[in-house]
Amino acid sequence: MYLLFSVICQLFVCICYSLALYGLAVIILDRKPEKRCYLIFCITFTVLQVFTNLIYASVWEMAAKFTEISSFVWNILLYSGYAAVLAVLLIHTYHTEAAQTAAAVAISHFSVFTIILIAAEFMLARVSPDGHFISYMVLTAILPHVLGLAGAILIAKLLKRQGFHRYFKAFFVNKGRTVITIVTGMILMHYHTLIGLILPVDTGSTLATLYSGAFLILLLFVLLFAAVYTADKEKIKAQEDMILQMQTHLALLEELQQEVRSFRHDFTNLLAGASRQAMDGDLKGIRDFMQNTGAYFDDKLGNEIQHLECISNIKIYPLQSLITTKITKMQEEGIAYLLEVPNPVMESGMRTEDLLRCIGILIDNALEEAVKSEEKSVKIILLKRPGELYTAVSNTWAQKPDLAKMQEKGYSSKGKNRGTGLFSLRRITAEYPNCMTRMRVEAHMFIQELRIID
């Protein structure tokens, strides 16, 4: 009976632990839990747990001679193995970035393990192993893991309510932050193992319980503080983008005003000549005047008015700000640009932050190539059709693009291992089955296309 209960207890513990790890990591990555992915992880986790327990039991006598070191190495390998399995499953299922996934799994493991450790230490200090075996196992093994699962759910809801996933991505905006975040995550994942080796504390003591609880609360506070700090930086950046956008609009309006004044002066002179032709009955001259005046108006004011209309048609305001900023950069670089947004663009079948990254990559690539060409020209098309958002960015080039090489990771015309833009674009779009990309060369223009099905 005791053996059967031990097996059931072990299975229940594995289910709770794996569900807590998986659920919290998925929420940090801003993904929806999938039953198939969790079942695979749960089964793998259980098999690994049973297998490692058997190995540890078989080498117990030898390991007992070197208790601290053997336990330290064993725990490092064991926890790293669990984390690696979960990270690989998440990357395969959700196509998430490896660095973000590893950090999310590490944070999830630390949080769940700390809660279980707090509960286990609290119960071990109050329950004697000499009592009833089943009660002892329920209180010191099953209950801590149930609390660990409940704690993971509570933390996941808290992080989701605070929008932590948006700020979490800010830790990976460059290589420096990515390395720091990964190293910190790995230290956190093995924190209790490292502390147990450096500063041994008796299991079940009040000091150990208070220490673990205080550290978990401190970590959550630090994470939330980092989220708030990042949010403030994002708000400042959004305000700066808004100011830049307003400055661009004002510059366009001032240019339009100057063109209207110039057109008014010229039109007065032209109208005086047309009046004379009308008095003389010169109908052909009047007809030519009307045609020339229309062409003159389009040449002087048409482009500015069309540009303002196109900007106004972009109803996704972060995207409007992005494109306005890129156009300002084109003006500074002396690049001729054309923006076409014939219909209002209010939504797409992609998260806004991913849409901005994709279109930003396309425009940046076009800018880098156009500035090296003689014509220096970029054309941006945003076309909202029923059930689809079509984006095309075309540019002139100094050297004809090699479409085959551009599919390779790290390819860049700027040098070795600097071309991560297109690879990042493919990685982002791989998360969306409704998204397609294409590159082609046509009439001395390199065209990058992005189709998003709603």
Side-chain angles (χ1 to χ4, degrees), residues 17 20-21 24 107-123 139-156 192 208-209 211-217 219-220:
Y17 203 123
L21 287 178
L24 185 53
I107 293 172
S108 175
H109 180 275
F110 170 79
S111 302
V112 174
F113 185 81
T114 302
I115 296 171
I116 294 173
L117 186 63
I118 292 171
E121 288 174 340
F122 181 83
M123 297 309 300
L139 293 174
T140 60
I142 294 179
L143 181 59
H145 284 80
V146 171
L147 293 175
L149 177 58
I153 294 173
L154 182 63
I155 293 173
H192 294 289
T209 305
Y211 175 77
S212 300
F215 193 82
L216 178 62
I217 294 172
L219 175 68
L220 291 176

Side-chain angles (χ1 to χ4, degrees), residues 177-232:
R177 287 191 184 183
T178 300
V179 171
I180 292 173
T181 305
I182 290 295
V183 171
T184 303
M186 294 301 104
I187 292 174
L188 284 176
M189 186 170 68
H190 300 297
Y191 176 78
H192 294 289
T193 303
L194 293 169
I195 289 298
L197 181 67
I198 300 171
L199 300 172
V201 179
D202 293 335
T203 302
S205 67
T206 304
L207 178 62
T209 305
L210 292 175
Y211 175 77
S212 300
F215 193 82
L216 178 62
I217 294 172
L218 177 63
L219 175 68
L220 291 176
F221 175 78
V222 170
L223 286 175
L224 291 177
F225 175 79
V228 172
Y229 176 75
T230 308
D232 289 340

Side-chain angles (χ1 to χ4, degrees), residues 302-372:
N303 291 336
E304 285 79 3
I305 293 174
Q306 180 188 8
H307 176 72
L308 289 172
E309 288 179 350
C310 289
I311 289 293
S312 299
N313 275 338
I314 304 174
K315 305 300 182 183
I316 304 175
Y317 294 108
L319 178 60
Q320 184 185 96
S321 177
L322 172 71
I323 291 181
T324 301
T325 303
K326 299 300 182 184
I327 286 176
T328 301
K329 187 174 181 181
M330 292 181 203
Q331 292 173 334
E332 293 173 353
E333 296 286 347
I335 298 174
Y337 66 89
L338 178 62
L339 176 65
E340 292 186 10
V341 190
N343 305 316
V345 177
M346 290 184 273
E347 59 182 8
S348 69
M350 179 181 282
R351 289 189 296 272
T352 301
E353 57 267 28
D354 289 335
L355 178 65
L356 295 179
R357 292 170 66 192
C358 288
I359 294 181
I361 289 171
L362 297 181
I363 297 177
D364 286 340
N365 288 342
L367 270 168
E368 290 172 2
E369 289 302 315
V371 75
K372 295 183 290 187

Side-chain angles (χ1 to χ4, degrees), residues 8-154:
I8 295 174
C9 180
Q10 183 68 43
L11 290 175
F12 184 81
V13 163
C14 289
I15 291 172
C16 288
Y17 203 123
S18 59
L19 181 58
L21 287 178
Y22 172 79
L24 185 53
V26 167
I27 294 299
I28 292 175
L29 293 170
D30 189 31
R31 297 296 187 270
K32 294 181 179 179
E34 292 188 7
K35 291 182 180 179
R36 182 175 178 274
C37 183
Y38 165 67
L39 288 175
I40 293 174
F41 176 61
C42 180
I43 293 172
T44 307
F45 180 88
T46 304
V47 171
L48 283 175
Q49 184 71 31
V50 172
F51 182 69
T52 52
N53 285 344
L54 292 174
I55 293 177
Y56 195 75
S58 65
V59 298
W60 168 253
E61 292 184 1
M62 182 177 64
K65 298 178 181 179
F66 309 98
T67 305
E68 292 183 0
I69 300 299
S70 61
S71 177
F72 171 78
V73 174
W74 182 263
N75 288 335
I76 291 290
L77 295 175
L78 187 63
Y79 300 151
S80 298
Y82 295 154
V85 170
L86 179 56
V88 170
L89 278 173
L90 293 176
I91 293 171
H92 177 74
T93 303
Y94 300 104
H95 304 285
T96 52
E97 292 185 6
Q100 293 184 18
T101 307
V105 170
I107 293 172
S108 175
H109 180 275
F110 170 79
S111 302
V112 174
F113 185 81
T114 302
I115 296 171
I116 294 173
L117 186 63
I118 292 171
E121 288 174 340
F122 181 83
M123 297 309 300
L124 286 170
R126 288 156 179 79
V127 179
S128 172
D130 298 331
H132 194 266
F133 174 75
I134 294 179
S135 300
Y136 179 77
M137 291 297 293
V138 168
L139 293 174
T140 60
I142 294 179
L143 181 59
H145 284 80
V146 171
L147 293 175
L149 177 58
I153 294 173
L154 182 63

